[in-house]
């Protein structure tokens, strides 16, 4: 697979950095490719804007940042306003439907999943990002589901693997059902 | 010109570097010989002592003693010594430097070394001014004293060094003058044997510049002053030991307490936490 | 793992046993990683009261016989300059990492810069030569940290690693390897009895064997100009001899020290000379230019000091122009210009910091230069 650019944007505390890390690690360590993961954030440790960028490729990556993302995951209205304009055609936009209200003119309508709500219903809001990854695995063929699973298990705190896998499957199933843009 | 004949302490000195650069009447040489006798008294292995100096007249001590000795940059003897000590904890590390070096440009390192209670002995010559650069005021210059940069009299409050280092956490603090040779020698031996951060302030004449500008132009004048005004008060509270121009000088051993050293605490914490992780 | 963490791992693999540092963005992760890793390998981590103290503690530890390192960013790098000079003067092996952010002064603490390149060369007072390496990926900083320790031990000189925020904070796959003992260089030790030992009597390679504290050599070292015994010698002749040797031990060994990478330079008309993170952007721009049929190439200095001047001079005979993109308002460009002379044009593509160049910016400069 050639160069794939993914941007995940929201605010601090949503697990965005970990999500980027998991995606990059899946591609470069649990799959056979290369990946570069970068992040940017405001000066605050929590609650400020936060963006993770992952570039994956089957050859070494030169330019490490995202210019024309194939995948854009948006977890805050502010990030939506910042990144959703001037996207190349065919970018897969995924939003958390409870956190982001897409503009009515957004065409095609972004794929959405209420990941944060689903995580709360599972009992732990922190797994929203893992649910989102499950969803992503289902709606896109850019990622190896198996590599993502392994990467999640290697990245989450000890003893939470099963719970996180459950979250991943929940997102994955939701994705299979809602894969078509409505 | 100083003539050097064979003396018992010669084996501790780089005699090939004599004569030394210190002026007639200067007290640094006296303090250096007390240091050497202090080492003897403490019975230390000379191979395991490292001496670190900063810059200034006292900074030159490192060049005259036949030990592993480091003449570093201005104010930085303590952090250099910190690396040396942590790099090889078996070394007995001594910092021998002046008041300007240790308490002005190196003041931050002084308080933090005391805070950490790193196992280092500091011998601080206090001659109340910057001698090597020609007699400027410094962090210990008494109020009203004259110097080339306080020509009308000094109007900055000086540090009381024993009070400063005691408050920062030193486990051994003493002050002597170069008139109190026996006490100083004993104190140095004690400090060398004491675990933790030990600090000895040594008041020393600088007749060439500080003395000349403050009516004590001969080394002997300053020694007379020490003789007349020194009061030995072991155990005195360091905060009561301020020095003023021509005022009394409280000398003695002020602090001698037990407190875990940096190394001991480090071992304790790491043994506990790293072992727990392994288990 | 990110570049900062990879740097710490490289140090551990190189046998580094001592780290002294002070927190500063974007280099803090190196200190954090070292504070965790060093106690696991019987090493020492200490957080000092400032960067001046950190640099000194590193020198002290090196004289106690251990491999020592510190890491910082611009403001701390400035504070370390004083005792970087002491390190050069005492000929003390150690490694200093600068994860560059944009300056001057406090500048942009969390954003990239490459503005300390000349400070690396000339930052401490006096005449001296230094070795500085520039990594452009986490894997490379891992590898170059090992190289840095080797060079510092071999030449008895502080070695600088001029990283940057982008490399420090980007995560990529890093192969953390054990280094075979034979691949680690250790400083030369005295081969004579303590009475005969002279701390600054050099061998033929101009590097003197080094005693360490506590072994009975009773040596004296000083930041003053000194003779072979280590004693102060305040004469113009001693100064000439010492400064000449301190510089020549690096200059005469350039071939051993200098490393660079070239991409498509054989037939290139336009060569982009770029280092660190900027080299990766340049690589993409060069590829795009080739796709357009422009004969472009990349010269990536890995050793920036001493500067690979012979290579630039040789390439200057074949190219129309050098393009030098850097995240500052012109530093290394002057080195390239000096070596290119009148043979080839040298064009600066500056970027004041805070972000890296866009590949298009460099591509446009290549197009323009190729016309």
């Amino acid at each position: 697979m050639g160069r794939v650019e993914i941007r995940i944007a929201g605010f601090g505390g949503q697990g965005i950095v970990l999500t980027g890390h998991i995606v990059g690690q899946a591609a470069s360590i649990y799959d056979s490719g290369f990946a570069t993961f970068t992040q940017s954030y405001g000066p605050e440790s929590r609650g400020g804007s936060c963006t993770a960028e992952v570039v994956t490729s089957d050859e070494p990556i030169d330019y490490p940042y995202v210019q024309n993302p194939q995948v854009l995951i948006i977890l805050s209205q502010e990030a939506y306003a910042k990144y959703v304009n001037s996207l190349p055609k065919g970018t897969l936009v995924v939003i958390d439907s409870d956190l982001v209200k897409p503009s009515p003119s957004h065409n095609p309508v972004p794929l959405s999943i209420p990941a944060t709500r689903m995580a709360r219903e599972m009992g732990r809001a922190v797994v929203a990002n893992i649910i989102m990854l499950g969803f992503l695995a289902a709606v896109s063929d850019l990622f190896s589901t198996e590599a993502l699973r392994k990467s999640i298990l290697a990245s989450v705190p000890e003893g939470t693997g099963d719970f996180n896998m459950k979250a991943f499957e929940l997102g994955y199933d939701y994705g299979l059902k809602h894969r078509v843009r409505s | 010109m100083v003539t050097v004949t064979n003396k018992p302490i010669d084996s501790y000195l780089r005699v090939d570097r004599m004569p030394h650069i210190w002026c007639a009447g200067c007290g640094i040489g006296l303090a250096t010989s007390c240091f050497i006798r202090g080492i003897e008294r403490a019975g230390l292995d000379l191979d395991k002592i490292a001496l670190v100096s900063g810059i200034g007249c006292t900074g030159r001590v490192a060049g005259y003693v036949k030990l592993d000795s480091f003449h570093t940059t201005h104010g930085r003897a303590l952090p250099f010594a910190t690396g040396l000590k942590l790099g090889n904890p078996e070394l007995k590390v001594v910092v021998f430097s002046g008041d300007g070096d240790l308490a002005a440009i190196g003041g931050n390192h002084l308080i933090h070394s005391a805070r950490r209670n790193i196992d280092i002995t500091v011998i601080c010559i206090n001659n109340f001014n910057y001698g090597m650069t020609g007699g400027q005021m410094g962090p210990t210059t008494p109020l009203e004293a004259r110097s080339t940069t306080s020509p009308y009299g000094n109007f900055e409050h000086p540090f009381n060094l024993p009070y400063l280092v005691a408050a920062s956490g030193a486990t051994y603090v003493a002050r002597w003058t170069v008139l109190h040779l026996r006490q100083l020698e004993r104190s140095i031996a004690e400090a060398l044997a004491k675990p933790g951060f030990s600090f000895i302030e040594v008041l020393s004449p600088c007749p060439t510049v500080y003395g000349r500008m403050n009516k004590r132009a001969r080394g002997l004048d300053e020694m007379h002053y020490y003789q007349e005004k020194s009061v030995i008060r072991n155990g005195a509270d360091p905060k009561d030991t301020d020095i003023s121009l021509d005022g009394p000088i409280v000398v003695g051993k002020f602090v001698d307490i037990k407190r875990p050293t940096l190394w001991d605490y480090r071992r304790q914490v790491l043994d506990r936490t790293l072992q727990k992780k392994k288990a | 793992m990110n570049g900062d963490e990879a740097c710490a791992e490289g140090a551990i693999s190189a046998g580094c046993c001592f780290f002294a540092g002070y927190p500063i963005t974007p280099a803090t992760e190196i200190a954090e990683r070292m504070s965790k890793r060093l106690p696991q390998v019987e090493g020492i981590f200490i957080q000092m009261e400032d960067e001046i103290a950190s640099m000194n503690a590193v020198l002290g530890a090196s004289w106690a016989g251990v491999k020592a390192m510190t890491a910082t960013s611009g403001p701390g790098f400035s504070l370390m300059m004083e005792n970087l000079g002491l390190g050069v003067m005492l000929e003390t092996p150690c490694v200093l990492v600068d994860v560059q952010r944009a300056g001057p002064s406090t500048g942009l603490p969390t954003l990239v810069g490459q503005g300390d390149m000349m400070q690396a060369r000339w930052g401490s007072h006096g005449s001296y030569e230094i070795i500085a390496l520039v990594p452009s990926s986490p894997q490379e900083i891992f590898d170059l940290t090992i190289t840095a320790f080797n060079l510092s031990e071999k030449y008895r000189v502080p070695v600088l690693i001029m990283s940057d925020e982008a490399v420090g904070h980007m995560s990529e796959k890093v192969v953390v390897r054990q280094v075979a003992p034979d691949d680690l260089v250790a400083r030369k030790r005295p081969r004579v009895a303590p009475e005969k030992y002279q701390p600054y009597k050099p061998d033929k390679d101009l590097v003197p064997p080094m005693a360490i504290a506590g072994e009975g050599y009773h040596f004296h070292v000083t930041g003053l100009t000194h003779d072979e015994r280590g004693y102060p010698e305040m004469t113009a002749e001693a100064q000439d001899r010492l400064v000449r040797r301190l510089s020549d031990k690096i200059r005469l060994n350039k071939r051993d020290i200098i490393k660079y990478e070239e991409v498509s330079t054989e037939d290139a008309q336009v060569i982009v000379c770029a280092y660190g993170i900027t080299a990766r952007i340049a690589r993409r721009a060069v590829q795009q230019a080739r796709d357009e049929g422009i004969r472009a190439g990349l010269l990536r200095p890995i050793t920036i000091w001493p500067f690979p001047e012979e290579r630039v001079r040789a390439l200057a005979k074949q190219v129309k122009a050098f393009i030098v993109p850097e995240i500052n308002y012109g530093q290394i460009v002057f080195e390239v210009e000096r070596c290119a002379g009148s043979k080839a044009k040298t064009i600066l593509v500056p970027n004041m910091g805070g972000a890296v160049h866009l590949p298009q910016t460099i591509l446009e400069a290549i197009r323009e230069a190729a016309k």
Side-chain angles (χ1 to χ4, degrees), chain B residues 135-227:
Chain B
Q136 296 75 33
M137 60 154 294
T140 55
T141 307
L143 281 169
E144 308 286 347
R146 285 171 197 273
S147 74
T148 62
T149 48
S150 57
Y152 308 108
N154 176 34
F155 42 77
E156 284 190 24
H157 292 283
F159 266 142
N160 170 350
L161 294 178
Y163 187 30
L164 175 71
V165 290
S168 305
T171 52
Y172 184 100
V173 182
R175 173 195 284 152
W176 300 103
T177 76
V178 290
L179 189 70
H180 300 85
L181 294 179
R182 278 230 292 277
Q183 291 96 327
L184 176 58
E185 175 192 322
R186 196 162 50 231
S187 204
I188 289 173
E190 263 180 27
L192 288 170
K194 176 88 188 173
F197 190 79
S198 48
F199 182 90
I200 301 171
E201 180 184 26
V202 186
L203 305 189
S204 167
C206 176
T208 306
V209 278
Y210 179 78
R212 185 170 46 79
M213 281 181 287
N214 292 283
K215 298 180 189 147
R216 287 196 285 268
R218 298 175 309 149
L220 208 54
D221 299 337
E222 181 87 2
M223 293 296 237
H224 279 307
Y225 164 55
Y226 295 160
Q227 192 181 25

Side-chain angles (χ1 to χ4, degrees), chain C residues 7-318:
Chain C
C7 176
E9 289 301 328
I12 300 281
S13 289
C16 172
C17 282
F18 184 92
F19 184 97
Y22 186 83
I24 186 167
T25 306
T28 305
E29 290 92 332
I30 301 178
E32 287 174 340
R33 185 86 167 199
M34 291 303 260
S35 73
K36 193 172 169 194
R37 293 286 280 120
L38 277 170
Q40 297 169 350
V41 297
E42 304 283 308
I44 306 280
F45 169 88
I46 186 164
Q47 185 169 313
M48 295 300 285
E49 52 272 21
D50 57 30
E51 289 88 349
I52 300 174
S54 303
M55 186 67 214
N56 273 284
V58 161
L59 298 179
S62 182
W63 280 98
V66 298
K67 290 187 181 176
M69 177 171 105
T70 184
T72 188
S73 187
F77 196 54
S78 291
L79 289 183
M80 287 182 183
M81 287 301 118
E82 174 191 59
N83 296 286
L84 175 70
L86 182 66
V88 168
M89 196 61 148
L90 300 187
E91 302 183 60
T92 311
C94 61
V95 173
L96 194 173
V97 185
D98 178 13
V99 188
Q100 295 173 87
R101 64 196 220 186
S105 191
T106 313
L108 296 171
T110 62
L111 298 174
V112 67
Q114 292 183 316
D116 308 348
M117 302 307 293
M118 281 294 169
Q119 186 180 18
R121 176 64 190 87
W122 301 110
S124 199
H125 54 278
S127 266
Y128 64 97
E129 288 281 338
I130 199 85
I131 299 176
L133 312 175
V134 195
S136 62
S137 71
Q139 180 68 57
E140 192 173 40
I141 196 170
F142 175 90
D143 295 329
L144 285 186
T145 304
I146 297 166
T147 307
F149 273 103
N150 280 347
L151 290 170
S152 79
E153 292 282 323
K154 184 170 183 182
Y155 295 107
R156 285 190 64 182
V157 69
V159 174
L160 311 178
I161 297 178
M162 301 304 289
S163 182
D164 58 64
E165 186 276 336
V167 170
H169 279 167
M170 84 170 38
S171 293
E172 290 184 327
K173 177 165 67 183
V174 174
V175 181
V176 173
R177 60 191 163 87
Q178 296 290 317
V179 187
D182 286 353
D183 294 331
L184 290 179
V185 179
R187 61 191 73 169
K188 283 188 288 186
R189 306 304 310 282
R191 297 174 300 264
V192 295
E195 326 63 271
K196 294 213 173 129
Y197 175 63
Q198 298 195 5
Y200 293 108
K201 191 173 166 105
D203 290 340
K204 272 199 189 129
D205 62 357
L206 303 183
V207 182
M210 181 172 171
I212 59 175
E215 292 191 319
Y217 284 89
H218 298 187
F219 59 85
H220 176 61
V221 297
T222 173
L224 289 165
T225 298
H226 46 265
D227 61 18
E228 293 184 346
R229 296 171 299 171
Y231 291 176
E233 196 182 332
M234 306 292 100
T235 63
E237 293 75 17
Q239 172 74 5
D240 181 274
R241 232 175 10 249
L242 181 58
V243 170
R244 217 173 263 285
R245 184 176 64 73
L246 290 178
S247 297
D248 284 351
K249 72 176 176 181
I250 307 297
R251 288 186 187 179
L252 300 178
N253 289 300
K254 266 189 198 168
R255 281 206 182 156
D256 178 49
I257 298 167
I258 292 177
K259 300 266 182 304
Y260 48 80
E261 184 196 0
E262 293 184 39
V263 181
S264 315
T265 49
E266 312 79 36
D267 63 340
Q269 273 188 300
V270 177
I271 286 182
V272 183
C273 178
Y275 54 90
I277 185 63
T278 311
R280 295 175 63 146
I281 322 303
R283 189 188 296 265
R284 169 158 256 225
V286 164
Q287 186 54 51
Q288 288 167 340
R290 283 272 165 182
D291 292 347
E292 291 177 10
I294 301 171
R295 283 188 285 137
L298 171 70
L299 172 66
R300 178 171 79 91
I302 297 169
T303 312
I304 202 80
W305 304 117
F307 189 71
E309 50 192 17
E310 281 173 31
R311 189 59 195 144
V312 175
R313 275 199 196 104
L315 288 169
K317 290 181 194 151
Q318 99 186 30

Side-chain angles (χ1 to χ4, degrees), chain B residues 14 16-17 46-50 55 60 62-74 76-89 91 105 108-110 112-113 115-116 118 262-263 266-267 270 274 277, chain C residues 18 35-36 38-40 42-50 52-66 82-83 85-86 90 92 211-224 229 231-232 234:
Chain B
R14 297 182 193 279
D16 53 344
R17 289 214 55 215
L46 295 185
D47 288 354
K48 297 294 174 195
I49 308 174
I55 294 295
R60 295 304 188 96
Y64 297 126
V65 293
K66 211 191 275 175
L67 297 168
D68 291 336
S69 57
F70 301 86
H71 183 220
T72 64
T73 41
H74 198 17
R76 318 301 173 209
L78 269 168
F80 190 100
T82 297
L84 203 53
K85 178 68 188 175
L86 294 176
N88 181 359
L91 293 173
I105 188 167
N108 197 31
H109 310 312
L110 179 64
H112 286 279
S113 303
R115 171 182 64 80
R116 289 186 191 102
I118 185 164
L262 172 66
W263 191 257
R266 175 182 176 277
R267 267 271 64 94
L270 291 183
L274 280 178
K277 267 189 188 156
Chain C
F18 184 92
S35 73
K36 193 172 169 194
L38 277 170
Q40 297 169 350
E42 304 283 308
I44 306 280
F45 169 88
I46 186 164
Q47 185 169 313
M48 295 300 285
E49 52 272 21
D50 57 30
I52 300 174
S54 303
M55 186 67 214
N56 273 284
V58 161
L59 298 179
S62 182
W63 280 98
V66 298
E82 174 191 59
N83 296 286
L86 182 66
L90 300 187
T92 311
I212 59 175
E215 292 191 319
Y217 284 89
H218 298 187
F219 59 85
H220 176 61
V221 297
T222 173
L224 289 165
R229 296 171 299 171
Y231 291 176
M234 306 292 100

Side-chain angles (χ1 to χ4, degrees), chain A residues 121-134:
Chain A
E121 282 163 5
M122 280 184 77
R124 299 193 58 186
V126 290
V127 294
N129 58 338
I130 304 296
I131 295 176
M132 181 59 89
L133 279 175

Side-chain angles (χ1 to χ4, degrees), chain B residues 256-274:
Chain B
D256 190 353
I257 55 167
K258 270 196 188 144
R259 191 168 160 251
T261 66
L262 172 66
W263 191 257
D264 292 344
Y265 234 130
R266 175 182 176 277
R267 267 271 64 94
Q268 249 180 54
V269 170
L270 291 183
D271 281 354
R272 187 160 17 96
T273 49
L274 280 178

